[in-house]
Amino acid sequence: MEWSFVIEKFALVTIVFVVTLVIAMYSTLAERKIAGFMQDRYGPDRAGIFGLLQPFCDGGKFFFKEEIIPAGAHKTLFIMGPTIAIITACISSAVIPWGQSLTIGDRVISLQVADVNVGILYMFGVIALGVYGIMLGGWASNNKFSLMGAIRAASQSISYEIAMGLSIIALLMITGSLSLKEIVADQSGFVNWNIWSQPLGFIIFMVCAFAECNRVPFDLPECETELVGGYHTEYSSMKLGLYMFSEYINMFVSSALMASLYFGGYNFPFMNDLGLSENWITILGVLAFFIKIFAFIFFFMWVRWTLPRFRYDQLMNLGWKMLIPLAIANIVLTGIITLIKDTYFS
Amino acid sequence: MTVFYLVAFLSIFFALMTIFTKNPVHSVLYLVITFFTFTIHYILLNAQFLAVVNFIVYMGAIMVLFLFVLMLLNLNKDTEPMKSNLVKMMGVIAGCCLVVVLFGAFRVFDLSNPLIVKDPDIGLVKNLGKVLFKEFLLPFELSSILLLTAMIGAVLLAKKETRKV
């Protein structure tokens, strides 16, 4: 193992980690600003200009609040809950290709931390693991409302994982690869984006992503009107902060995943006709990727302040009786179209 | 090789912890860690697909359902039914049978002539898929029918029976 390789990967991991945390921090501000905009008010504007220092104030407040572990709680698992939630949220971004490769001198640096052969499945695994954080935290709190939240989270995430997996299968039938790097590289330009060939798959995937992130309209695990605070009712200070943070990181990562699976990742229109050098294309590509991610994050927030929450039976009906049959139909349709294309138009 | 021995030790250790802990939720969590060590074993064998599927299906789905049921039941020491001596005796006999079988397996196992996999990349998705859909198509399809049957059976069992008028 070369040292330069280790240093390169270490630097890349650090940058991705810091960027993830900063984006998660400012997502909290953006959420409140967008809520203010939608409801015709200002939102936070006291700390710094436009309230830009608000996330730091919130973070400081979380650190200095009194930390309470309830007497009847299971202490180890109570601490493990938010820990698992934040760790799984942070490691899921490892396989996302942030850009093409940069050439510095004679070194080619790939802007992807790990090009795993089964990249998408790795993401699925980590997302599936994330629900343990919520379940353990909710159970260990020794509180009825927390337990209800935890159980809702578990059944919701399992139900929607199935539809999510099925919607991905149709995509894989077109791309023929499980590696995120190859999937993104296949979508160069604008007309090759997977959204044009998989519109239905994208909609199913997006709905499932909302459900997996526990975002409105699927935020039943923490449904305030019924369950006080859901799985994090008993949490205070930075442990609560970690739960909130992991939700925003998950939102960022799933936006990045949607952008790279269906919207071409770092590819942007006319990227090969500009006549720029490789490095400039890469840098512009990273910018384009982040613009797409921010657009998705905005969409997440837009939906939150537009749609009301589902009822629990509606959520289950949507998952099992609508999304799964639709996803299966999508697979069959994709198969038929691919077959016709290969037989008659190749 | 050292990595293998470390991971093997961990899998056996956590498997034993699964059995010996009193609290059922802890037991399931140790089982989750045991499955995680299995995932590491698969990665060491270069079987990436199997590793990830083990990760998703066992750790991500089945164990979550186990935990789900245990949390709903809320088992603890007081509500645990006492097992009769007959059941304990049967357990001992079954354990002894397992030991005999394992020893028998070890006796015929030829350590001096290890099996060498011809193609070390057989565990990658592409190769695995080709083997499954070309050489082992019939068993593969049959097992999928088996799974489908089991699924339909589960749905039928869960369905509430409508009363005849």
Side-chain angles (χ1 to χ4, degrees):
Chain A
M1 185 100 64
E2 293 171 62
W3 273 108
S4 54
F5 178 76
V6 176
I7 293 170
E8 177 195 311
K9 287 294 177 199
F10 187 76
L12 196 60
V13 169
T14 316
I15 292 171
V16 169
F17 187 62
V18 170
V19 167
T20 310
L21 290 187
V22 168
I23 287 182
M25 260 169 76
Y26 276 95
S27 298
T28 59
L29 177 67
E31 176 123 72
R32 294 163 71 180
K33 278 284 184 193
I34 289 170
F37 171 68
M38 303 252 169
Q39 295 163 355
D40 201 14
R41 55 186 173 83
Y42 283 119
D45 65 345
R46 295 289 118 177
I49 49 166
F50 307 122
L52 278 179
L53 294 175
Q54 188 69 36
F56 292 96
C57 304
D58 289 342
K61 193 190 78 175
F62 272 131
F63 271 111
F64 291 117
K65 282 266 178 171
E66 186 188 355
E67 187 179 314
I68 300 164
I69 297 183
H74 190 298
K75 204 174 167 197
T76 329
L77 293 184
F78 190 79
I79 298 172
M80 257 172 75
T83 319
I84 293 178
I86 195 86
I87 289 177
T88 49
C90 286
I91 61 175
S92 52
S93 61
V95 291
I96 289 176
W98 302 101
Q100 284 164 311
S101 43
L102 280 174
T103 317
I104 299 171
D106 52 354
R107 277 198 70 80
V108 179
I109 299 173
S110 159
L111 292 186
Q112 184 186 19
V113 177
D115 180 20
V116 188
N117 197 328
V118 284
I120 295 186
L121 295 180
Y122 167 84
M123 292 283 293
F124 270 72
V126 174
I127 292 169
L129 215 57
V131 77
Y132 279 108
I134 293 176
M135 282 189 85
L136 290 182
W139 181 76
S141 305
N142 195 20
N143 176 323
K144 282 175 206 157
F145 297 116
S146 302
L147 185 65
M148 292 282 283
I151 283 169
R152 283 181 176 192
S155 47
Q156 175 180 327
S157 91
I158 286 191
S159 315
Y160 279 78
E161 250 163 46
I162 300 172
M164 202 178 199
L166 288 175
S167 70
I168 281 291
I169 288 177
L171 180 72
L172 297 180
M173 284 162 70
I174 294 179
T175 56
S177 167
L178 283 168
S179 151
L180 274 171
K181 190 177 189 169
E182 283 176 36
I183 292 177
V184 175
D186 276 352
Q187 306 177 53
S188 71
F190 186 65
V191 284
N192 292 332
W193 288 6
N194 285 331
I195 176 72
W196 309 126
S197 50
Q198 283 292 327
L200 184 60
F202 168 69
I203 291 170
I204 296 168
F205 187 85
M206 195 178 60
V207 173
C208 296
F210 271 80
E212 294 284 325
C213 292
N214 296 326
R215 290 286 300 185
V216 176
F218 304 108
D219 68 334
L220 287 131
E222 50 174 297
C223 175
E224 295 94 347
T225 40
E226 297 163 23
L227 299 179
V228 190
Y231 60 93
H232 54 48
T233 305
E234 295 286 356
Y235 280 87
S236 58
S237 91
M238 202 54 206
K239 291 203 187 67
L240 177 67
L242 287 182
Y243 268 131
M244 304 234 158
F245 230 67
S246 65
E247 184 186 319
Y248 284 100
I249 296 177
N250 279 334
M251 204 164 86
F252 168 62
V253 172
S254 48
S255 302
L257 190 62
M258 281 191 281
S260 50
L261 285 180
Y262 290 97
F263 282 84
Y266 50 73
N267 295 303
F268 55 94
F270 311 117
M271 60 188 292
N272 298 322
D273 310 326
L274 288 175
L276 291 168
S277 69
E278 287 284 313
N279 281 355
W280 277 109
I281 298 269
T282 304
I283 291 168
L284 286 177
V286 174
L287 280 180
F289 190 37
F290 273 94
I291 290 171
K292 288 169 193 171
I293 293 174
F294 290 143
F296 272 114
I297 291 180
F298 174 73
F299 186 69
F300 267 96
M301 291 168 181
W302 187 9
V303 168
R304 172 164 182 178
W305 300 109
T306 307
L307 292 180
R309 186 182 289 131
F310 277 103
R311 225 169 48 219
Y312 202 71
D313 58 324
Q314 290 172 333
L315 172 93
M316 283 295 153
N317 278 344
L318 178 73
W320 289 96
K321 294 183 185 165
M322 290 280 296
L323 292 182
I324 292 179
L326 266 181
I328 293 174
N330 190 31
I331 292 176
V332 175
L333 207 68
T334 312
I336 292 172
I337 291 175
T338 316
L339 200 65
I340 291 174
K341 230 165 114 183
D342 284 357
T343 344
Y344 296 108
F345 297 98
S346 59
Chain B
M1 219 42 186
T2 40
V3 181
F4 168 75
Y5 280 116
L6 177 69
V7 179
F9 168 74
L10 285 178
S11 2
I12 293 171
F13 175 75
F14 285 118
L16 287 177
M17 289 299 279
T18 311
I19 306 171
F20 288 130
T21 41
K22 288 267 158 63
N23 189 326
V25 171
H26 291 187
S27 188
V28 170
L29 291 178
Y30 282 122
L31 194 57
V32 172
I33 305 177
T34 314
F35 280 128
F36 184 63
T37 55
F38 290 172
T39 305
I40 304 176
H41 278 302
Y42 288 133
I43 293 174
L44 287 178
L45 291 171
N46 203 18
Q48 295 180 3
F49 184 69
L50 209 54
V52 157
V53 166
N54 182 56
F55 194 83
I56 297 175
V57 173
Y58 281 93
M59 287 177 69
I62 295 183
M63 284 297 117
V64 172
L65 284 179
F66 267 48
L67 211 56
F68 181 84
V69 173
L70 280 178
M71 283 177 179
L72 276 180
L73 291 178
N74 204 13
L75 295 172
N76 46 40
K77 243 189 238 165
D78 309 327
T79 55
E80 189 183 6
M82 281 301 289
K83 293 187 179 68
S84 68
N85 279 334
L86 182 71
V87 176
K88 283 180 186 164
M89 280 302 291
M90 279 162 69
V92 170
I93 293 168
C96 290
C97 290
L98 183 66
V99 171
V100 170
V101 170
L102 280 180
F103 265 105
F106 264 119
R107 232 166 48 81
V108 292
F109 189 63
D110 192 3
L111 271 178
S112 58
N113 185 20
L115 181 75
I116 295 169
V117 182
K118 275 173 258 163
D119 181 11
D121 285 342
I122 189 72
L124 304 187
V125 193
K126 208 169 197 165
N127 305 334
L128 199 66
K130 278 188 178 148
V131 171
L132 273 184
F133 279 100
K134 278 184 180 155
E135 287 174 43
F136 300 103
L137 184 61
L138 187 66
F140 182 68
E141 293 293 333
L142 282 180
S143 58
S144 77
I145 290 172
L146 197 67
L147 278 175
L148 186 67
T149 323
M151 204 166 81
I152 293 170
V155 171
L156 270 180
L157 281 179
K159 203 176 162 192
K160 280 182 202 137
E161 277 184 32
T162 45
R163 215 182 286 159
K164 280 172 195 160
V165 183

